[in-house]
Amino acid sequence: MVESLGSLSGTPWVYVVVGLSVVLDVFLPILPSGVLVVTAATTAAGSGTAADVASSVRAGNHFAQMAALVLCAATASVLGDLVAYRLARRGGDRFDRAIGRSRRLSAAQQRLGAALTRGGGGLVVLARFAPAGRSVVSLGAGVAHRTVREFLPWSALAGLVWAAYSVSLGYFGGHWLGTSWVSTALSVLALFAAGSAAAYVVRRPARETAGS
């Protein structure tokens, strides 16, 4: 994957690949959109010689690439959320039944439902990191007929935080360790760790509510 994205680094195609993956990830949570974002950032940060990386010109180029990648991933995240929200809002029961047919989405909906209801918008940001959390939040908001004013600001904040975190992992991994599978693996591991922690925090209110 590092080599494949490396050939696209510095071209608009890397943003197309990342953007499409992030948009579609809301419907297919198995897509490795986070891994692609991390890998793209790692590849961009680790490119060039040590002298180039140390120069102000190269540092400026890296900053521009990282900012563009954050903007691309965050925008695609919000766009995918809105498409899922709109389709679920119009589809209603059909999307509710579709979630019920997916064991993974159904389990996630049960775990996250009570917590999201209790915790409000802040948990939308946490759910963005949790496995299938983005799908449950976006589709659930549409099925529940939440207004765009209620949903969109938290979706935008969640997408921006997730994108900035993912790109930062890839950037610092590539900057310190270079473009290699080791730096990518460590960055992806940190991304998965954040997802596990987010899933634990989001589930915790539901367990406390059930126990009270």
Side-chain angles (χ1 to χ4, degrees), residues 25-81:
D25 182 68
V26 70
F27 300 104
L28 300 169
I30 60 173
L31 285 177
S33 62
V35 176
L36 284 177
V37 174
V38 168
T39 304
T42 301
T43 303
S47 61
T49 64
D52 288 335
V53 173
S55 70
S56 59
V57 174
R58 189 64 187 178
N61 289 339
H62 278 169
F63 178 79
Q65 286 179 304
M66 296 305 113
L69 194 54
V70 169
L71 181 61
C72 172
T75 302
S77 179
V78 176
L79 179 60
D81 288 354

Side-chain angles (χ1 to χ4, degrees), residues 1-203:
M1 183 179 293
V2 176
E3 292 78 6
S4 299
L5 283 180
S7 63
L8 299 177
S9 183
T11 71
W13 288 108
V14 68
Y15 303 110
V16 173
V17 172
V18 168
L20 284 176
S21 176
V22 175
V23 168
L24 296 176
D25 182 68
V26 70
F27 300 104
L28 300 169
I30 60 173
L31 285 177
S33 62
V35 176
L36 284 177
V37 174
V38 168
T39 304
T42 301
T43 303
S47 61
T49 64
D52 288 335
V53 173
S55 70
S56 59
V57 174
R58 189 64 187 178
N61 289 339
H62 278 169
F63 178 79
Q65 286 179 304
M66 296 305 113
L69 194 54
V70 169
L71 181 61
C72 172
T75 302
S77 179
V78 176
L79 179 60
D81 288 354
L82 281 177
V83 171
Y85 164 80
R86 286 293 188 184
L87 289 175
R89 187 178 175 88
R90 293 179 180 179
D93 294 338
R94 286 179 294 175
F95 271 88
D96 205 20
R97 290 193 296 270
I99 292 176
R101 287 195 294 269
S102 171
R103 181 175 301 177
R104 183 180 182 185
L105 289 180
S106 180
Q109 185 182 46
Q110 293 175 4
R111 291 195 305 266
L112 296 173
L116 290 171
T117 300
R118 178 180 175 182
L123 284 176
V124 174
V125 179
L126 285 175
R128 182 62 182 85
F129 290 83
R134 178 192 179 200
S135 302
V136 171
V137 169
S138 301
L139 295 174
V143 171
H145 291 277
R146 299 287 186 183
T147 65
V148 174
R149 184 176 298 179
E150 291 176 313
F151 174 69
L152 182 58
W154 292 108
S155 170
L157 179 60
L160 181 60
V161 171
W162 171 81
Y165 178 76
S166 302
V167 171
S168 296
L169 288 178
Y171 171 77
F172 288 112
H175 185 69
W176 291 332
L177 300 176
T179 304
S180 67
W181 70 267
V182 175
S183 60
T184 302
L186 290 176
S187 298
V188 170
L189 183 62
L191 181 66
F192 286 161
S196 299
Y200 173 78
V201 173
V202 169
R203 289 198 304 264

